Each structure stands twice: as structure tokens, then as C-alpha cells.
Amino acid sequence: MALDGHIPSGPLAEKWEKHQFELKLVNPANKRKHNVIVVGTGLAGASAAATLAELGYNVLSFCLQDSPRRAHSIAAQGGINAAKNYQNDGDSIYRLFYDTIKGGDYRAREANVYRLAQISSHIIDQCAAQGVPFAREYGGTLANRSFGGAQVSRTFYARGQTGQQLLLGAYSALMRQVEIGKVTLLPRREMLELVMVDDKARGIVVRNLISGEMERYVADAVIIATGGYGNAFFLSTNAKACNVTATWRAHRKGAFFANPSFTQIHPTCIPVSGNYQSKLTLMSESLRNDGRVWVPKVQKDQRAPEQIPADERDYYLERRYPSFGNLVPRDVASRAAKAVCDEGRGVGSSGRAVYLDFADAIKRDGEHVISQKYGNLFDMYQEITNENPYQTPMRIYPAVHYTMGGLWVDYNLMSNLPGLFVLGEANFSDHGANRLGASALMQGLADGYFVIPYTIGGYIAANAADDVGTDHPAFDQAEQAATERIDKLLAIKGKRTVDDFHRELGLLLWDHCGMARNAEGLSSAKQKVREIREEFWQNVTVAGTAGEFNQVLERAGRVADFMEFAELMIDDAYERNESCGGHFREEYQTEEGEARRNDDDFTYVSAWEFQGVGTDPTLHKEELVFENVHLTQRSYK
Amino acid sequence: MTEEQSRRKRDAGQSDCLSFTISIWRQQGLNDKGQMVSYPLKRVRPEMSFLEMLDVLNGELERKGEELPISFDSDCREGICGMCGLVINGVAHGPGHGTTTCQLYMRSFADGSTITIEPWRAAAFPVIKDLVVDRSAFDRIIQAGGYASINSGSAPDANSMLISQELASEAFDAAACIGCGACVASCKNASAMLFVSAKVKHLNILPQGQPERHKRTVAMVEAMQQEGFGNCTNEYECEAVCPKEIAVEHISFLNREYLKAKVAGK
């Protein structure tokens, strides 16, 4: 089946405005008759819920944390991009669009990305008006910095906590609507099933995490904004509760999963230090603006970093990429770190780390300047590692950070299931095969504040929803399926813990479907995933009961879904016989070891249709048409 | 042993293991009485985070299968989401300064010691289970007025409103609150004044917050009182444990703002 992205015709710059006009409108007086479910309260979910409520819809807002303010968007450090060109340094909507398409290695839709760039400016206006305390210049205007390899300064920031401040802005807008009575807040709820009635998404079944009871909710449309699936790898920079369950449950009901193998491995994280470790910590890549990355020139050099003279150090990013140096995009920096560690030149006892050295910057600018810029990050590093980065270089290594893949959506952000919309990291739409720094916050808020309010109206206006109650048989079936799965998990009473299985799965994915992949490794990993999954369902131990607050049971359900999802990730990586962005297939590289795309055969979105656990999924292709951008080899030399 | 040697040893995963007696509050649910229960725990690495230590203890309990693992909240594990929060040896978020529970490492504790772990205790934060409490009262306080009312799409160009660096920075210091509730847990009155004052300060000093300034102050203070939080009696315990080092000066600011609002007849 060829997939239709429903991209409006006409010139690139006019598509969105034209489409907004063509979308049907819901009469203001009628909006209050329509209910919308929003699952997730991160930047995408909270901004969507708040905005839809402002428009007059009745919104049911769900999250699994105790408060919507805890969503993982809060952890984003660096900033948010926007094509304001406040710095007069050559930025424009077209440049942000172009950089995003190129950075994504030409595997994203032109129309979506252009719209994102167009909307970006409004996001900054909106957030500033909410009171987000962005960094300012002396004159009181907004400050910008260059970030993540961009050659213009288009990143807006609030110290090292931009995600937190933007999320608190969206959360405050959401809470205002709770007070007005347009949003019903349903925290500590986990979506376990999507409910389809007459082939339309009409509701969800959730587990109340406090009482353990199943609850049913019906609406005219369902929005999923539940983030990415990076925790499939167990160790990632994601929060502990991040999971694939909501999107995977929708996938099992027929929603296509797009580009699941596109994961972003962030180059600057604190290395793994023990087998008890529960998560990895990101050090903002803004550090690469002043830090120099190096390893010793010789293998297994045991000397302390200070004792290695300059001519025995390999500043490999500066050497390989003279024009971008330490600021190459994330995928390139991560692979380069892996390459030097694979050569045996990694540092630290595990040999899986490289130095990020501030000695030159401190000599040049003085310690106080570096401290002003990065003080909180240096403190954080010292807290975790007990080492002082002002005196000794940081040790860093890449870690799973973001997932570009997600549920397939069309230009309206609607999945192939009518009435099911997917926003933010949970969808696949805008970042292609590699996301640029400071673009995740932009996309989440663009989707929630400025895209979905229009497109969901178009859907609701054109699709009169039948009067369906939660007593509909489809709800009975969905609840029964969720209950049976939980009962099955509790009945196994095996020997191994949920985390134990999760770690094993994660390590397998990291080794064979992480920074570098090859056909042989992927085939063996697929078989191995099936074996781990089989053992999981025979030998996992899940304490407690279904009818209580039970965190082990919560994790067990999520890991069970990761076990199924992992196979899809591997299938996708296997099928894509090219290297692009974060997807690096060792068989497809240039002589210098750079990713080699195959535009003739793979300029498409892979959208997978579920066919049953253990049965190969069906691949649907959405061809990517580039009318404006000329496809080139990405080069940062 | 030099610092370098110990670093290398630690880095090699060869650091000496620590042993503790972990004394934890166990409570089945809201209506259960609850009690402290002790667990011996060996083979704790100094570089383990406090929550990883609890993960290890829970893993042992899960494998034994005799009693349920300990429930505790945590999410980002990097000190920003505000989800975690334990009273450790009587101190909210434990011995670290300006850190959350998840940013605490086992090297901060003496080998062989007993570590007591309790939930936030406040009437307004009822216990859900073990160390997990219900902090939805904070959401309801924000709901009462912790925002600048502006609909999506109606904002003017961001640079049309000039805000000095100093003001932006001052607002940020207050806005940095992560809503963890340590201030309440550490206060003998279980007062939420630091939390409320931080949000009032953030918005009331910025131009965006002016139109609703008085209304916001009064609504949030009233919501705080309705939720059953106590009053501030200037003990400064909140500031001492706040992971974001929110200053108690904000509380005096809140008091002045409340007075001004009342004088203005709001």
C-alpha cells in the first residue's frame, strides 16, 4: 500500500496557509460538544491540551506521573530553535528548514519541516508571553546562541534548563484550563489500550496506577503525545518511566510505526560505570562549544590525561572535520567516539570513553568565564563522578537520547487510523534520520500549540462522531485484553526480575542495533530477542497484585512491550540497506568511514504494519519527494 | 591512596563495597498505620546513586519473593523533574546541598551505618504507599493562579517586551522551583510558603505577570490555606533543603504582595 501523507499542493511557503484555509472549521458553539483525549503532558501533550481547551473543546489530559509538570521534556537542557533572525546573522525560515532537512539526512518530509520552521517564531512569542524567563541581552532583548553545529545563532535558552521552563509554561497554560473547567486532569494513569469503534479511534483504557483499577474514557478523537522509545535500550538519558507502551498499543491496533530504527545517540554523556547503573546522564552539548574532544594517539595509554603531551593526543574531531571540528552533528560525533574506542584508544578503565577537555578554554577565557557558562554542568559532573572538570578533563561517551522514529502521521499529524493523532517525539514526522540540537522542544510545541488546533478541527468537522458510550463492546474487549495481559504477568511467578530482563534486552540492542549495525548482527539479534521474550513470559517474577499501587507490575508491562517493539526496531534496521543519520549500517560507508546514503532505493519512510507477535510485519512505503532541496552528501569537513 | 589511584580504582569498578542497615517506612496504603522496617544491605558501591541502592534492595526483595518491594517515586534521575523525594536520616533529600534525592551518592554515607528513609510527612501530602505521597495539592495551588493568562496564538513579538538581564535572572531564580515538596517536608508547620512564593515571585516581577498580579497572589495563598498547609514561622528549614536553593526572601516578597493585594481591595 502506498501511503499518502496528504501534503497540500502548491509552493512550499504557501502550503500551510492554504491548508489552514481548506480545513473545515468547527463552529465555536459546537466545540464544547466535542471531547478530546490527550495522553501525555510533555511539551506536545500539555501545549495541545491547553490550546484545544482554549478553543472550547473538552479535554481529558492523562499522564503517568503524579503531576503533568514532571514529563520528561523537563530534562532538555540546551534550548529551542526559532528562525527569528534576531541576530541578523543570515538566518531565515528557509535556512532553518534547509538545515533540518539536511541534518536529518534527507529522510524527512519537506512540507512538514518547512511548516515547523514557519511556526518556530510564534513559539518563542507564545512562551515569552507566558513568562518563560529566557536569557536576555543587556538591552532587554532575547539572547541567542549557536547550538548543535548550527552556523547561525538561533537557539533561545533559559540557562541550562530550557526544557523545564518551557514545560512549566505549557503546564501553567494547562492548569489555567483546569481551573476554567475545560481540562480534566487524570494523573497517575497509564494508557494500556486504544479503543477503535467503526474503524475510528474513540477512546482509551487506562490503568489507575493508585488503585490498580481499569478505567474507560471515550472521546471524538485521541491524541498520543507520550514521547520516544529510547528506554528500549534500558540505559538511556530518558527518564525511568519513559516507555513505548502507548504507541505500541496503538500500533497493535493498526497504527503504522515509522522508521523505528532511527534513534539518536547523543555524544556527550557520562560513561557507564557499573552494572547496577539505572540511567545515563547527558551533559549538554553546548559544552562542545568550548571543550575539545581527544583521545591518546596510542592504544591503551595508561597515563593520566595531564601527563599526555599535546603532540601525543589525537583531537580526532578537529582532525577529521576541520571546518566543523568539535561541533559536528550528534550522529557524526558519536560514531567518531565509537571508532576511536573500537581502535583501543578509549580512556577510563572500560576503554569506552573519550576526553572532553576545557584546559585550553580555561587558559584562554579564565576559569570564571567558563564557570559562568557551564557552572551548573560542571557541578553536575562533579556530583556524579566525584571529579573536578576544572582540573581534569571530563570523560564522556555516547548514549541513547532521542528517537526520531515513531507512529506514522500525515501532514495533519493524524496516523493511518482515523481520529488518532500523534504529536512530539511520539510521531516520526520532522527530524528524518537525525535530529538537530534544540529542535525537539521546537517540534513538540509546534505540534501542540500551532498544528493540532487546526488539523483536529478539520477532522472533527468532517467526521460526525456517533454517540458511543464506554459500555460499547469495543471497550469491553479492550479492557479484557489489558486485564488478561496483567493477570498473565502476575501468574508467571518465575525467577528473574523485570529489570534483569530489561537490561539484557537493552544490552543486546546496544550491541547490535545501536551506533553501528550490520546484517549479520541484526539477524542474530532478532533471534535472540525472540528467545529473551520467550523466557520473559516463562520466567519473570512480578510481585504483588493487580488491584493495588504496584510499580513492579507497571514496569513489567512496559518491558513486555519493549520486548515486542525491539524486534520491529531490528527489522527496520535490517531492511534499510543504507546508512543515513543515526542509522549506520557498517556495510554502507565511504572510504573515510562516513555514512553512505542510497537515495535511489531508500528515499522513503518505512511504515510498518503489525501482523502479530513473532510474525513479520508488513512494510508500507511513503516515498519522499524533494521539490526544493537538492540531495547532497552531508559533509562537515 | 592518592586521589588518582582511588579514581582509577573506582573507575575500574573495584572500589570497596559498603554495608548498611536500611530502615524504611513501609505502609500498605492510605489507611494503613505503617511502620519502620529494617533491611541489611551489603555490596553497596560508593559510586551508586541513592536510588540505585534502593533498586538493588528491591531486586533482592523481588528475587526472594517474601514481601513486596519498596514503592518510591523517581523519574528523570538527574535532579530536574521533582518526582523523587525522601526524608533520609531526618533530612529532606538527604545530606547533599542543593541536590535532589536522585543526585545523592552512597559515598556520602559511613560504612556500616544505619540509614533511615521516610516519606514526605504532611497532612496535605497523604501517603499513597510506602515512600510515595500525593502532592496534587501543589497542582491545585498552581491551578488557582500560577500563570499569565494568554491564549495560544495571541502573543506579540517576543522582542516587543524588553526585560533587563537582572530581572530575567531574578525571575529565573524563582522559576527554577521543581515542585518536589521538600520545603513542606522539612517544615515543622508543613508550610508551602516557599513553593507558593517562588511562583508568585517569578510571575509578579515580570511585565507579563502584571495584569493578574494581585488576583494571582490572593488566589494562590487562599488555595494554599485550603489545602491544609501550615504557616511560615521563619525557621528557614525549607531553604536549607531546597534542591534548587530557592531563597526564603521570596516568602517576605509574598507577604508584601499579599498585603498590597489586600490594600488594593482584591
Side-chain angles (χ1 to χ4, degrees), chain B residues 166-221:
Chain B
E166 294 76 19
L167 193 63
S169 181
E170 205 183 340
F172 187 98
D173 287 340
C177 168
I178 58 174
C180 64
C183 46
V184 174
S186 66
C187 176
K188 66 173 188 178
N189 307 321
S191 169
M193 289 283 268
L194 193 67
F195 170 78
V196 176
S197 66
K199 186 46 69 185
V200 167
K201 175 79 178 286
H202 161 214
L203 293 171
N204 281 20
I205 64 170
L206 288 175
Q208 299 94 313
Q210 294 314 307
E212 299 163 288
R213 181 173 183 168
H214 295 321
K215 192 173 151 220
R216 168 183 310 115
T217 308
V218 173
M220 289 182 73
V221 168

Side-chain angles (χ1 to χ4, degrees), chain A residues 357-423:
Chain A
D357 197 337
F358 293 87
D360 291 335
I362 289 171
K363 206 187 280 175
R364 182 187 68 222
D365 299 337
E367 192 171 312
H368 68 285
V369 172
I370 296 303
S371 159
Q372 259 176 4
K373 279 191 188 167
Y374 309 114
N376 62 337
L377 295 169
F378 277 42
D379 291 349
M380 183 165 95
Y381 183 84
Q382 185 157 14
E383 243 164 45
I384 295 172
T385 62
N386 213 15
E387 285 176 26
N388 181 351
Y390 292 102
Q391 288 163 8
T392 188
M394 288 184 181
R395 277 178 290 124
I396 54 163
Y397 199 65
V400 175
H401 180 56
Y402 184 89
T403 56
M404 283 73 70
L407 290 182
W408 183 88
V409 290
D410 66 6
Y411 188 72
N412 294 313
L413 304 182
M414 189 166 84
S415 72
N416 57 306
L417 302 180
L420 176 68
F421 293 80
V422 191
L423 316 186

Side-chain angles (χ1 to χ4, degrees), chain A residues 23-34 55 57 453-454 456-462:
Chain A
L23 283 165
K24 284 189 180 174
L25 296 173
V26 180
N27 179 308
N30 282 341
K31 287 193 180 116
R32 71 174 73 99
K33 296 176 190 158
H34 297 289
L55 290 172
Y57 298 104
Y454 292 92
I456 208 168
Y459 171 78
I460 287 174

